[in-house]
Amino acid sequence: MAKFNLNINGKERELDVDPTTPMLWVLRDHIKLVGTKYGCGIAQCGACTVHLDGNAVRSCQLPISSVGDKEITTIEGLSEKGDHPVQQAWLEVDVPQCGYCQAGQIMTASALLEKNPNPSDEEIETAMNGNICRCGTYTRIKKAVKIAAN
Ligand code: FES
């Protein structure tokens, strides 16, 4: 066990955990932020995507000891009222089907638009490529990212 001071969604959180614990489980089990989902556990599906200093990262393979004082943002902290432009576009297009992968999709899309506010179709395709959706909502995801970018 080791003590960590984490910056999660703008709040300081102090906790005592095994340093090898993946950030996903710290968020879900210790902080009770369960919007970030477990899909594959091997950094392949994107369901567990959060932001680390604004970059989209897969929290299932990231030991909490590697986070340091970087800012962690989860889907719960992306906006105050669920009204981030990406979330609004998601609602407008009615993207989700089962919904399980959508927090990860939205975190990847919002990190993309933060760095590249007007991405090409190809850039959207490349950025979103690693986020898997079993329901196949890809067409609506791309449409929503375009809307959020405008
Ligand atoms: Fe982390 Fe699949 S659960 S990438």
Side-chain angles (χ1 to χ4, degrees):
M1 292 292 190
K3 280 207 187 317
F4 293 95
N5 278 307
L6 301 171
N7 180 342
I8 304 172
N9 296 335
K11 287 188 192 133
E12 289 293 324
R13 307 294 295 252
E14 191 185 305
L15 67 157
D16 208 2
V17 286
D18 180 329
T20 64
T21 310
M23 178 161 59
L24 172 64
W25 300 116
V26 170
L27 293 171
R28 289 186 58 88
D29 292 347
H30 295 267
I31 315 287
K32 307 296 179 203
L33 290 171
V34 295
T36 307
K37 301 297 189 232
Y38 169 74
C40 64
I42 53 170
Q44 295 294 309
C45 76
C48 65
T49 304
V50 299
H51 295 174
L52 202 55
D53 276 353
N55 298 304
V57 297
R58 295 181 173 198
S59 60
C60 68
Q61 283 286 308
L62 200 68
I64 203 63
S65 57
S66 69
V67 171
D69 59 2
K70 294 194 179 90
E71 275 180 41
I72 301 166
T73 308
T74 70
I75 188 74
E76 291 90 345
L78 187 62
S79 62
E80 275 190 21
K81 298 178 185 155
D83 56 356
H84 184 281
V86 171
Q87 291 169 308
Q88 287 176 332
W90 241 246
L91 287 174
E92 190 179 327
V93 179
D94 205 8
V95 174
Q97 200 158 307
C98 87
Y100 194 82
C101 69
Q102 298 294 324
Q105 304 277 3
I106 288 170
M107 295 311 279
T108 300
S110 54
L112 164 69
L113 295 180
E114 195 60 44
K115 289 185 175 47
N116 182 358
N118 199 8
S120 66
D121 288 353
E122 200 182 347
E123 286 168 330
I124 293 172
E125 182 83 39
T126 303
M128 301 306 300
N129 203 14
N131 282 72
I132 294 169
C133 172
R134 282 193 69 184
C135 306
T137 62
Y138 300 113
T139 308
R140 295 201 296 276
I141 287 170
K142 282 177 221 156
K143 194 171 169 190
V145 176
K146 280 299 249 193
I147 289 171
N150 291 327

